[in-house]
Amino acid sequence: MSTYRPLDATALTAHLATLPALSARLGGSPESWTAREVSDGNLNTVFIVSGPAGSLCCKQSLPYVRVDPGWAMPLERTLFEARWMQTLGAAVGHQIPALLHLDEGLFLIVMEDLSTHKVLRTALIEGDAPAGFSARIGEFVGHAGFATSWRARPFEDLFALREVFARNLSLTRITVDLVMTDPYRQGCARNRWLSPALDSDVAEIQSDSVLHAGVTRLQERFLGTTQALLHGDLHTGSVMVHNEDVRVIDGEFAIFGPLGFDLGMFIANLVMNGYALPDRESWMQDEISLLWSGFCNAYRQSWDGNTGCGDVGSLATPEETTHDQDRFFREVMRDCAGFAGLELIRRTMGFAQAADFAAAPDTAWEAEARRRALHTGRRLIVKSALIEDIEALLDAL
Amino acid sequence: MSTYRPLDATALTAHLATLPALSARLGGSPESWTAREVSDGNLNTVFIVSGPAGSLCCKQSLPYVRVDPGWAMPLERTLFEARWMQTLGAAVGHQIPALLHLDEGLFLIVMEDLSTHKVLRTALIEGDAPAGFSARIGEFVGHAGFATSWRARPFEDLFALREVFARNLSLTRITVDLVMTDPYRQGCARNRWLSPALDSDVAEIQSDSVLHAGVTRLQERFLGTTQALLHGDLHTGSVMVHNEDVRVIDGEFAIFGPLGFDLGMFIANLVMNGYALPDRESWMQDEISLLWSGFCNAYRQSWDGNTGCGDVGSLATPEETTHDQDRFFREVMRDCAGFAGLELIRRTMGFAQAADFAAAPDTAWEAEARRRALHTGRRLIVKSALIEDIEALLDAL
């Protein structure tokens, strides 16, 4: 195991040259390789290394937040991303990049290069996202969610996994603070919003006790429910698309929790894009429908093929299973609506905002899109107990 | 750390003589000590060692189930009991015995001797249980439950605890199989029942698809909810009483789960005693009411004094907290009703039965008591979604 040091392009290339399997993938001699930094998210450095025969994506943790070096951050997050890939690989196949190498000392993972792909958020902003990508994301959540559920495997397997991901503390702390606490706190220095346009909307959100009760309920659902292994940060920046090929990346926030968290977060990011850009809303509603049906079909299909493999549902006949499925999907939708609401609010007035808003045609449009996001977010949180199917969700947007 | 070997009375006394603090508690010389085996539960050996100055209770794991030496069982369960005592000590004080010594190699714990106390189940059967003991049990569940909840502590603390108790696999397997699976399976060799009197009742339970759907829901609640650290086996044999002093023992099944599991299991054991013995029912209903009010008062009091210490509820004003409490207690009661139903059924026709039935005045009474337990169990499981307060619960018994 190597000793940790942040690798620049030269050091990374030299390190790869010591690893025969990866060198063979790149081909030629190390002198012919090029390393290009493509760091894009908030947390890590990412290089694409290319050689005559192929290319690799190399991601390394830094001991601080990349966009805010004063914010210290344990290195371990890369290990959780690798564990997430290892855990889900068999269930989701090519819906995530292939993990080629993990160095636990350098906190470095090397994976399949997806340079031919585009970050979905960018594609959405630029208007060239292939229609129907959301169905693939729904299938991903369905396959990953069922494979890590009490219905698919004996609880001993899942307790062991729960033990691994229960150590993912620093990124879960970010989720608990940034997604479900800070935006509702008056005077929290991490919040920012379009001012003065949204001042009164923000003040309402921070003093609304009915809303805060809904947020409390979602905090409890997130921390107290271990329904499946979540991606934990499934926004449109965590997805890469290339024609029909849709990949989910960046699983470093992985944690056991309620499935509606992943689905709701993704939906909220579609909604913000739909509000920010003209003539997108009907398209946005279609994508959300596809996400939900993709999820339900994949989850149901896995469930039908697996009855009796896990501890939950081991007694059920096929008929009872169908009944149980209907109840289950209603519950997931309630969570989904609530978590979508949290994401809409925190991406509009919290620390990490959705880039989509800046793509609005003018400032008035942007202000209105942001205002709608806040109001829809509030409505989804407060009414989530009543939102039990996709029609009710679409009506509430 | 010592190497594991099962200790008989002589070996145990010799081992205690090597430990100065425990020797001092016993007083005199080791030759003056007596060790008396009092093993009573299904799983471990227990000795009371007495000396001129005091006495100790010594509990050691065996590598198999004491009542069925063909059933292998990992030794680690004593460690989980010790962790449970260490975790809850500050929150529940004298409601559990004091832990004096843990030897992780011998899988031996030494604790306060409660020989002046009586096992509650025995006291109930013999008719000399002090009225009102259930209030103390309710307080115990309330204090332990709040102290290990997301409202009392930052999630990092609780994830660390969850990691520890997620390793308690062998006893959780017993719970999953014996409490929530086996009784509903036709032909499962571990089941037994008063035959032929209950043959048709058992056949109904094992072929009732509505009931099985309810059991599936409870399996999912038990495995998928991490509301608090549970005792995990809180029946009337896990409680010792002496006048006003009520202690909870045997925490080796400790696991994170829904609070209603502990409360429901205790209630079911009161109900079976009430059905088995004449003229007990009004008294039984009083005790169940005391359990519930003791729980709610203790939990609410801890909550009122702790707002903002944990991650869940950190935004809430006192007014919102009251609202949230009402919602919370309704949810706990729904779980409580369902888990009470599971316990009634498994203690009447499963592997480990309630001794109370054998104390019925005659066989016809016993058969009727067992039949009522099965029918009440079914009703509680099927109707649990509608049982949201103590009145509804008492009506369903």
Side-chain angles (χ1 to χ4, degrees), chain B residues 128-314:
Chain B
D128 58 4
F133 61 85
S134 298
R136 303 286 90 72
I137 301 299
E139 287 161 16
F140 164 79
V141 177
H143 289 137
F146 191 83
T148 55
S149 81
W150 311 103
R151 288 187 179 79
R153 299 158 74 167
F155 81 82
E156 287 90 345
D157 284 11
L158 292 169
F159 273 31
L161 281 178
R162 211 162 86 169
E163 202 184 312
V164 168
F165 290 96
R167 294 184 206 123
N168 196 2
L169 299 177
S170 47
L171 296 201
T172 303
R173 172 49 70 195
I174 291 181
T175 301
V176 169
D177 286 351
L178 296 193
V179 179
M180 39 195 93
T181 311
D182 287 355
Y184 306 92
R185 281 212 160 110
Q186 283 172 35
C188 174
R190 285 180 186 159
N191 297 332
R192 53 205 169 86
W193 59 88
L194 204 64
S195 181
L198 298 185
D199 286 0
S200 67
D201 306 276
V202 167
E204 271 175 35
I205 279 178
Q206 293 183 334
S207 61
D208 179 341
S209 68
V210 175
L211 175 61
H212 293 187
V215 174
T216 296
R217 204 174 22 74
L218 290 163
Q219 291 169 335
E220 193 176 4
R221 283 293 291 168
F222 179 70
L223 289 170
T225 312
T226 54
Q227 195 167 47
L229 181 62
L230 306 182
H231 177 278
D233 193 32
L234 190 58
H235 56 78
T236 51
S238 297
V239 173
M240 306 281 285
V241 289
H242 177 64
N243 301 328
E244 300 295 292
D245 194 38
V246 176
R247 307 288 189 106
V248 177
I249 62 168
D250 288 353
E252 62 215 347
F253 281 81
I255 189 82
F256 274 81
L259 276 171
F261 184 84
D262 275 356
L263 293 165
M265 185 173 273
F266 193 76
I267 287 170
N269 281 272
L270 294 178
V271 169
M272 287 182 281
N273 185 271
Y275 287 175
L277 296 170
D279 304 322
R280 280 284 172 90
E281 294 204 34
S282 141
W283 169 91
M284 168 195 97
Q285 294 228 343
D286 290 347
E287 290 291 330
I288 293 170
S289 290
L290 286 171
L291 177 83
W292 182 251
S293 58
F295 162 71
C296 292
N297 292 339
Y299 200 96
R300 202 185 286 267
Q301 207 168 35
S302 303
W303 191 337
D304 288 340
N306 267 274
T307 305
C309 296
D311 285 302
V312 170
S314 54

Side-chain angles (χ1 to χ4, degrees), chain A residues 218 260 264 332-342 377 380-381 383-385 387 393:
Chain A
L218 291 162
V332 174
M333 179 49 93
R334 289 194 296 269
D335 285 337
C336 174
F339 289 115
L342 288 182
L380 288 174
I381 293 170
K383 304 248 182 251
S384 62
I387 299 177
L393 179 73

Side-chain angles (χ1 to χ4, degrees), chain B residues 3 17 46 57 66 69 71-73 77 85 100-101 106 118 127 150 163 174 191 193 198 273 312 365 375 389 394:
Chain B
T3 307
V46 183
C57 174
R66 199 177 59 86
W71 186 346
M73 185 62 57
R77 57 195 184 274
M85 296 170 93
L100 304 174
H101 179 73
L106 286 171
K118 197 170 191 173
W150 311 103
E163 202 184 312
I174 291 181
N191 297 332
W193 59 88
L198 298 185
N273 185 271
V312 170
W365 190 292
H375 288 231
D389 56 37
L394 294 175

Side-chain angles (χ1 to χ4, degrees), chain A residues 176-229:
Chain A
V176 169
D177 287 350
L178 296 194
V179 180
M180 39 195 93
T181 311
D182 288 354
Y184 307 92
R185 282 212 160 110
Q186 283 173 33
C188 175
R190 287 179 184 159
N191 297 331
R192 55 207 168 86
W193 59 88
L194 204 63
S195 181
L198 297 184
D199 287 358
S200 68
D201 306 275
V202 167
E204 271 175 36
I205 279 178
Q206 293 182 334
S207 61
D208 180 342
S209 68
V210 176
L211 175 61
H212 293 188
V215 174
T216 296
R217 205 174 21 74
L218 291 162
Q219 291 169 335
E220 192 176 5
R221 284 293 292 168
F222 179 71
L223 289 171
T225 311
T226 54
Q227 195 167 49
L229 182 63

